[in-house]
Amino acid sequence: MGRNVDDCAKRRLVEHDEIEFAIRFMTSRGVKHDDVPVQLARYYYVDIDEVNAVLARVAADAAPAVKPKQATTDRETKLRNVA
Protein backbone atom coordinates (compact mmCIF):
# COMPACT_ATOMS: atom_id res chain seq x y z
CA MET A 1 0.00 0.00 0.00
CA GLY A 2 1.25 3.49 -0.81
CA ARG A 3 2.20 6.16 1.66
CA ASN A 4 -0.40 8.61 2.81
CA VAL A 5 0.81 11.95 1.49
CA ASP A 6 -0.79 14.98 3.07
CA ASP A 7 -1.24 17.64 0.39
CA CYS A 8 -2.35 20.16 3.00
CA ALA A 9 0.93 20.14 4.91
CA LYS A 10 2.32 23.53 5.90
CA ARG A 11 5.55 24.83 4.43
CA ARG A 12 8.41 25.96 6.64
CA LEU A 13 9.10 29.66 6.78
CA VAL A 14 12.46 29.84 8.50
CA GLU A 15 14.75 32.08 6.44
CA HIS A 16 15.16 35.58 7.84
CA ASP A 17 14.72 37.22 4.44
CA GLU A 18 11.56 35.24 3.68
CA ILE A 19 10.05 36.15 7.05
CA GLU A 20 10.87 39.82 6.53
CA PHE A 21 9.35 39.75 3.04
CA ALA A 22 6.18 38.11 4.37
CA ILE A 23 5.87 40.65 7.19
CA ARG A 24 6.40 43.63 4.88
CA PHE A 25 3.93 42.20 2.37
CA MET A 26 1.26 41.63 5.02
CA THR A 27 1.67 45.04 6.67
CA SER A 28 1.54 46.77 3.28
CA ARG A 29 -1.80 45.04 2.73
CA GLY A 30 -3.20 46.41 6.00
CA VAL A 31 -2.58 43.56 8.44
CA LYS A 32 -1.94 44.93 11.93
CA HIS A 33 1.43 44.17 13.54
CA ASP A 34 -0.25 42.18 16.32
CA ASP A 35 -2.02 39.93 13.80
CA VAL A 36 1.04 39.09 11.68
CA PRO A 37 2.43 36.22 13.85
CA VAL A 38 -1.01 34.64 14.11
CA GLN A 39 -1.59 34.76 10.37
CA LEU A 40 1.87 33.40 9.57
CA ALA A 41 1.48 30.54 12.06
CA ARG A 42 -1.86 29.69 10.49
CA TYR A 43 -0.29 28.92 7.11
CA TYR A 44 3.39 28.18 7.85
CA TYR A 45 5.62 26.51 10.39
CA VAL A 46 7.50 29.53 11.72
CA ASP A 47 9.92 30.36 14.49
CA ILE A 48 7.81 32.79 16.51
CA ASP A 49 10.86 34.30 18.21
CA GLU A 50 12.37 35.10 14.82
CA VAL A 51 9.06 36.52 13.59
CA ASN A 52 8.82 38.77 16.66
CA ALA A 53 12.41 39.96 16.22
CA VAL A 54 11.90 40.77 12.54
CA LEU A 55 8.53 42.38 13.29
CA ALA A 56 10.08 44.63 15.93
CA ARG A 57 12.80 45.72 13.51
CA VAL A 58 10.31 46.38 10.71
CA ALA A 59 8.07 48.36 13.07
CA ALA A 60 11.05 50.43 14.24
CA ASP A 61 12.04 51.15 10.63
CA ALA A 62 8.50 52.21 9.75
CA ALA A 63 8.03 54.47 12.78
CA PRO A 64 8.65 58.15 12.06
CA ALA A 65 11.62 59.69 13.78
CA VAL A 66 10.62 61.92 16.68
CA LYS A 67 12.60 65.11 17.05
CA PRO A 68 13.34 66.05 20.65
CA LYS A 69 11.98 69.41 21.73
CA GLN A 70 14.53 72.10 22.16
CA ALA A 71 14.83 73.06 25.80
CA THR A 72 14.10 76.68 26.55
CA THR A 73 15.81 78.48 29.38
CA ASP A 74 14.04 80.68 31.90
CA ARG A 75 15.55 83.79 30.33
CA GLU A 76 14.11 82.95 26.87
CA THR A 77 10.71 82.24 28.40
CA LYS A 78 10.64 85.55 30.27
CA LEU A 79 11.60 87.50 27.16
CA ARG A 80 8.82 85.90 25.13
CA ASN A 81 6.24 86.63 27.81
CA VAL A 82 7.22 90.29 28.02
CA ALA A 83 7.14 91.01 24.33
Side-chain angles (χ1 to χ4, degrees):
M1 191 169 244
R3 276 202 282 182
N4 184 8
V5 178
D6 187 12
D7 290 334
C8 297
K10 293 180 183 181
R11 285 187 34 205
R12 294 182 185 268
L13 188 63
V14 294
E15 294 293 325
H16 179 81
D17 295 337
E18 291 176 349
I19 293 172
E20 184 175 350
F21 177 79
I23 289 172
R24 289 188 187 276
F25 180 80
M26 292 174 73
T27 55
S28 70
R29 298 295 191 266
V31 177
K32 296 178 184 175
H33 287 280
D34 293 338
D35 295 335
V36 169
V38 175
Q39 294 297 325
L40 286 177
R42 180 176 290 166
Y43 298 106
Y44 298 99
Y45 289 115
V46 293
D47 180 9
I48 293 296
D49 293 331
E50 183 70 20
V51 169
N52 288 333
V54 173
L55 189 60
R57 192 170 59 88
V58 167
D61 290 345
V66 177
K67 294 181 182 178
K69 290 186 177 182
Q70 188 177 15
T72 57
T73 61
D74 292 334
R75 183 175 177 200
E76 291 174 349
T77 306
K78 289 178 184 175
L79 290 176
R80 273 195 230 144
N81 290 337
V82 173

